Amino acid sequence: MNKAYLYANSALPSKRQIKWQQTEFYGLISYGLPVFTSANFGGGFTPPSVFWPEDMNTDSWCELAVNAGMKGLVFTCKHYDGFCLWPTKHTDYSVKSSNWKNGEGDMVRLVADSCRKYGLKFGIYLAPWDMHEKSYGSGKEYDDYFCSLLTELLSDYGDVFCVWLDGICGSTETRTQNYDWGRYYAVIRELMPNAVIAFMGPDVRWSGNENGVTRENEWSPVPAWYGIYENGKSEEKPKNKKGGDIMSLDIGSRKAIKGEEKFIWYPCEVSVPMRKHWFYSDDDKYSVKTKDKLLKLYYNTVGNNSCLMLGLSPSKRGIIEEPDSQILTAFGKDIKIMFSGDIVSTKGKVSASSVLGESKAENVKTPVLTEFWRPDEQDKIPELIIEFEEDELFDKLVLQENIYSGQHIEEFAVFYKNDKNKWKPIYKGGSVGYKRICPLKAMKCKGVKIVFSKYRDFFELAKVQIN
């Protein structure tokens, strides 16, 4: 019998991972020399004098992020071209060599301060690949340089919720640098212990594509060999694993983890640009994602146990152009209405087929993860029922597990009570994890029943929200 799912239950999130997961939706500001050269990314030799954001206003970026419903912003402090958007002491290839603000400007400072002003979390993106730095490819000498940049960014700009390490090195690069990931992680852990390390890091994994394509069921506990550990080395892939990698369509189901014994908590981030490319280009103006596309992305990411990092690309002038701004603002208004409007589940009476100890069914109406309903161990197919005094109109259901205790729910079904007091099925779902948003056909009824048919040993349901 496949008991790997019981081993998977041993993988639990850290506090930093839970705080990151609760961020849900945040932005990546892609800005730098590529914007001024209309390139997807720079070449390492563009003169700093090209950098001239004439109307740049980081407050406007943050105001838009808040209006869009984001809870944080990650900023591209250094991209592949090696140009640093803060006046680092370790290279002249930075804003201090530009004419912007007479060489006294600091983009990282401006973004960090604006984030704090608007109540947004602040994160940094830093690419180890460096097309300009002469020491790149030298080994320890370049690692010393990169760690010096990390140290500045994590010492001088306040709290950082995410350090996004881009592991890509271009196919045309002739120099080889074996990045000392373990050393990079040690710097981050020492200076910013509450920050998650994403993409090339042990805390948050990449979904595997930049198109917003997601798995049907996203699992946070995965076999340990998918992960990158604190020492910077990936677990050796077992010989019986053929073709399994982080981009596989299924990395967490019972079938996918069969035979595994060692697991880690490695939640998923979906990163996708608002336009075709990450950096602004006039050619991309017809590729701006529509409000409907953003909503689909939101459901498939935030609503599927993942976080969504949406790429925002300010123009040469340093502003986010009107089409992007209008769509994001309208999207944010819709999300607020859809999920913070009339929450009909708060009006209902909650009951369950069983409860374990003090974990009463009514706990699912609170927003606190650690207040939950847990059915009795003898109740093999538990049911949760929410009944209303009169017909209520809704078209979506939100479920959340108490992920402090892991991720357990594998299959569930939703029923509604018709006018003949009969339960009729309306939705079948799989995993839940931190959050599952279930789109339903709009209807009026007097009750909703959720039946949990498959789970890993036990589960703790923290929240049920019906809108």
Side-chain angles (χ1 to χ4, degrees):
M1 183 180 293
N2 178 18
K3 293 291 186 180
Y5 69 92
L6 295 178
Y7 291 114
N9 288 347
S10 65
L12 300 175
S14 64
K15 289 182 179 179
R16 71 173 73 92
Q17 287 173 315
I18 289 178
K19 287 183 178 179
W20 166 83
Q21 190 92 57
Q22 291 172 328
T23 310
E24 297 187 351
F25 177 36
Y26 46 95
L28 172 68
I29 297 287
S30 296
Y31 201 62
L33 291 180
V35 174
F36 298 89
T37 59
S38 298
N40 292 335
F41 53 87
F45 298 100
T46 303
S49 59
V50 169
F51 187 77
W52 186 258
E54 55 185 294
D55 297 324
M56 194 266 299
N57 183 350
T58 55
D59 277 3
S60 69
W61 302 353
C62 291
E63 183 178 13
L64 176 59
V66 170
N67 290 340
M70 296 178 180
K71 297 178 183 176
L73 284 179
V74 177
F75 184 60
T76 52
C77 303
K78 178 180 83 74
H79 208 254
Y80 308 147
D81 59 9
F83 186 72
C84 297
L85 292 174
W86 76 102
T88 173
K89 297 181 293 186
H90 304 287
T91 180
D92 290 331
Y93 199 54
S94 75
V95 288
K96 71 183 180 184
S97 297
S98 72
N99 296 323
W100 175 62
K101 292 185 179 293
N102 296 317
E104 300 294 324
D106 187 338
M107 285 289 299
V108 178
R109 175 78 61 202
L110 291 173
V111 177
D113 288 349
S114 290
C115 281
R116 278 190 289 272
K117 179 178 178 180
Y118 284 85
L120 293 168
K121 298 180 180 180
F122 173 65
I124 63 170
Y125 165 108
L126 202 64
W129 183 23
D130 197 310
M131 303 167 78
H132 178 84
E133 173 58 34
K134 291 180 180 179
S135 67
Y136 185 84
S138 64
K140 182 179 181 300
E141 183 183 356
Y142 178 76
D143 287 327
D144 290 345
Y145 171 73
F146 188 78
C147 287
S148 296
L149 300 183
L150 266 177
T151 298
E152 283 183 336
L153 290 170
L154 298 177
S155 301
D156 300 338
Y157 296 94
D159 190 51
V160 169
F161 87 98
C162 174
V163 179
W164 214 95
L165 296 178
D166 193 331
I168 293 173
C169 181
S171 59
T172 60
E173 179 61 72
T174 58
R175 298 173 294 176
T176 301
Q177 175 73 30
N178 294 317
Y179 305 129
D180 191 345
W181 296 113
R183 184 178 171 192
Y184 305 164
Y185 301 161
V187 172
I188 297 167
R189 291 293 190 238
E190 178 183 355
L191 297 175
M192 201 62 61
N194 294 325
V196 295
I197 309 172
F199 190 26
M200 293 303 298
D203 296 316
V204 176
R205 61 182 165 84
W206 182 43
S207 64
N209 66 86
E210 296 180 350
N211 300 314
V213 178
T214 58
R215 299 173 179 85
E216 182 179 357
N217 293 296
E218 196 61 70
W219 287 90
S220 295
V222 298
W225 53 268
Y226 280 107
I228 299 173
Y229 285 113
E230 300 293 335
N231 62 8
K233 297 179 180 179
S234 297
E235 189 81 346
E236 184 178 354
K237 192 174 295 186
K239 293 180 180 180
N240 64 335
K241 295 297 174 185
K242 297 181 179 180
D245 60 37
I246 202 168
M247 299 184 188
S248 299
L249 291 177
D250 179 8
I251 66 174
S253 72
R254 291 197 191 196
K255 180 179 179 181
I257 65 176
K258 185 177 181 180
E260 301 289 348
E261 294 185 3
K262 189 174 181 181
F263 290 81
I264 57 171
W265 189 271
Y266 206 27
C268 177
E269 177 197 75
V270 178
S271 54
V272 56
M274 182 69 177
R275 295 177 169 226
K276 182 179 180 180
H277 300 111
W278 292 100
F279 286 96
Y280 179 88
S281 171
D282 289 334
D283 296 339
D284 285 350
K285 61 185 176 181
Y286 298 113
S287 69
V288 181
K289 288 180 173 54
T290 64
K291 189 174 65 169
D292 289 343
K293 177 64 175 177
L294 290 179
L295 183 60
K296 183 178 180 181
L297 268 173
Y298 190 87
Y299 269 67
N300 290 340
T301 56
V302 177
N304 185 18
N305 192 43
S306 303
C307 282
L308 173 60
M309 184 173 73
L310 183 67
L312 306 181
S313 50
S315 66
K316 292 180 183 180
R317 295 186 298 154
I319 65 170
I320 297 174
E321 295 294 331
E322 198 64 25
D324 312 56
S325 179
Q326 289 181 354
I327 291 171
L328 284 165
T329 300
F331 169 73
K333 288 180 179 178
D334 282 359
I335 289 294
K336 186 174 183 179
I337 292 170
M338 291 169 65
F339 295 100
S340 302
D342 187 19
I343 304 176
V344 302
S345 49
T346 60
K347 309 173 187 178
K349 178 183 178 182
V350 185
S351 61
S353 54
S354 68
V355 296
L356 181 67
E358 299 298 318
S359 60
K360 56 187 180 181
E362 285 283 339
N363 285 343
V364 301
K365 296 168 74 172
T366 74
V368 182
L369 283 179
T370 52
E371 295 178 5
F372 51 82
W373 163 62
R374 178 170 170 172
D376 187 88
E377 294 175 358
Q378 304 305 314
D379 188 358
K380 300 304 180 183
I381 306 181
E383 298 180 357
L384 187 81
I385 299 173
I386 301 178
E387 296 182 284
F388 315 118
E389 291 186 1
E390 55 186 39
D391 284 349
E392 294 289 350
L393 175 67
F394 56 88
D395 65 358
K396 67 190 72 68
L397 170 73
V398 182
L399 302 178
Q400 288 189 259
E401 288 187 68
N402 171 30
I403 60 171
Y404 283 94
S405 298
Q407 183 179 357
H408 300 267
I409 297 170
E410 295 175 298
E411 291 180 6
F412 66 95
V414 183
F415 299 79
Y416 75 98
K417 182 179 284 189
N418 65 12
D419 53 7
K420 297 180 181 180
N421 282 333
K422 299 291 186 180
W423 291 110
K424 295 293 182 180
I426 52 172
Y427 186 90
K428 291 187 71 174
S431 62
V432 174
Y434 170 73
K435 181 174 285 189
R436 168 69 79 169
I437 300 175
C438 310
L440 307 174
K441 181 181 178 181
M443 64 173 61
K444 278 187 175 182
C445 71
K446 287 188 177 180
V448 172
K449 177 171 70 173
I450 311 168
V451 179
F452 299 90
S453 55
K454 191 175 181 181
Y455 47 93
R456 298 177 177 181
D457 196 31
F458 71 94
F459 67 87
E460 294 175 351
L461 191 65
K463 185 175 181 179
V464 176
Q465 179 174 317
I466 304 172
N467 291 78

